[in-house]
Each structure stands twice: as C-alpha cells, then as structure tokens.
Amino acid sequence: MTVSRTFSIIKPDATRRNLTGAIVKMFEDGGLRIVASKRIQMTRAQAEGFYGVHKERPFFGELVDFMISEPVVVQVLEGENAVTRNRDIMGATNPEDADEGTVRKSHALSIGENSVHGSDSAENAAIEIAFFFKEDELVG
C-alpha cells in the first residue's frame, strides 16, 4: 500500500448546515488524516479557476455561484491510496446512488448540493492541492 495525498472540499451546503465536524470525522474514521485545512470564502476568480475544466458546460455558472455562496473548507487528506479511499468515503455524486454510510448518502441534499468534492486522480490531487495550499501549509 502507498501513502498518498488527495484534495477535498467541504462544500457550501454542508458548511451552512454546520456539518464540517461530522464530515471530517467520517474521513478520519475512514483512515484518512487531515494534513492541511482551512475555511475560506471562495472568490469568484478562485471558483472559476478551480472549475475551469467545466467552463463550456451549461452548469458552470450555477456551480461557480454555488461555490461562492457560503464558506467552504479546503483540505489535504493523507492515507493509504488516499484518492480512492476518499472517493469511497464520499460516495456516488448522486446521493440517491450512494452507499449507506457515505458522506453523500448521509449529508447531501441533491446531486448539485452534494456536500463534498474530492480529487479524481493523483495527478489532479496534486494540481488541486497546489491551487489552494503552499507547500509549507502541509503540516501532517
């Protein structure tokens, strides 16, 4: 097994409902360790830059508006096969399809307000981590 890192966002729908601690506990109980975390109010420029890969998609504007609507918690998670582990803990994007005990089954309101984001590959994790964190902020 390989210890690695991944990126996570606790999204506005979850922070608004004061679920940050409950979600962090699910990550930690699932074998991931928080090595960096900060609560931020994402700016429009940050949201547009971070989700730039979706710029041509019809939901881009709505996604950006949602991500800047409330604070978010950006985090770096570390553990065995962190990307895969985090995605297992999060559950399917659509909470109706998510397994019991996952973040999205337990906390998501809808496919759009699905409480968390997680990197989909090690390569994207590195890019996403660097987008929000300086190397000296990773203190795990």
Side-chain angles (χ1 to χ4, degrees):
M1 295 282 174
T2 303
V3 173
S4 57
R5 291 179 173 169
T6 191
F7 179 75
S8 170
I9 300 175
I10 300 176
K11 293 181 177 181
D13 62 292
T15 63
R16 180 180 67 245
R17 293 178 293 135
N18 204 30
L19 295 172
T20 301
I23 293 171
V24 166
K25 182 171 179 6
M26 293 175 85
F27 292 142
E28 291 178 335
D29 288 350
L32 296 172
R33 188 165 65 109
I34 314 294
V35 297
S37 180
K38 55 187 169 184
R39 184 179 181 96
I40 64 169
Q41 180 68 54
M42 199 179 293
T43 66
R44 181 166 297 279
Q46 283 175 314
E48 288 175 348
F50 186 78
Y51 289 106
V53 66
H54 300 301
K55 191 171 184 101
E56 301 305 318
R57 297 188 135 167
F59 61 82
F60 178 73
E62 184 178 328
L63 174 61
V64 168
D65 288 344
F66 169 62
M67 292 303 293
I68 67 173
S69 68
E70 301 275 345
V72 298
V73 177
V74 292
Q75 301 178 108
V76 180
L77 310 175
E78 182 179 82
E80 298 286 335
N81 298 309
V83 170
T84 301
R85 187 72 202 117
N86 183 43
R87 295 188 72 75
D88 290 345
I89 294 166
M90 288 189 312
T93 303
N94 184 342
E96 292 181 14
D97 299 332
D99 291 337
E100 289 297 328
T102 62
V103 173
R104 289 177 173 149
K105 187 64 157 190
S106 300
H107 300 299
L109 298 173
S110 66
I111 194 167
E113 291 184 305
N114 62 20
S115 299
V116 287
H117 161 87
S119 301
D120 62 2
S121 67
E123 296 77 22
N124 283 338
I127 293 165
E128 292 175 349
I129 290 167
F131 191 90
F132 286 102
F133 292 95
K134 297 178 201 152
E135 189 63 35
D136 66 355
E137 293 178 300
L138 308 178
V139 294

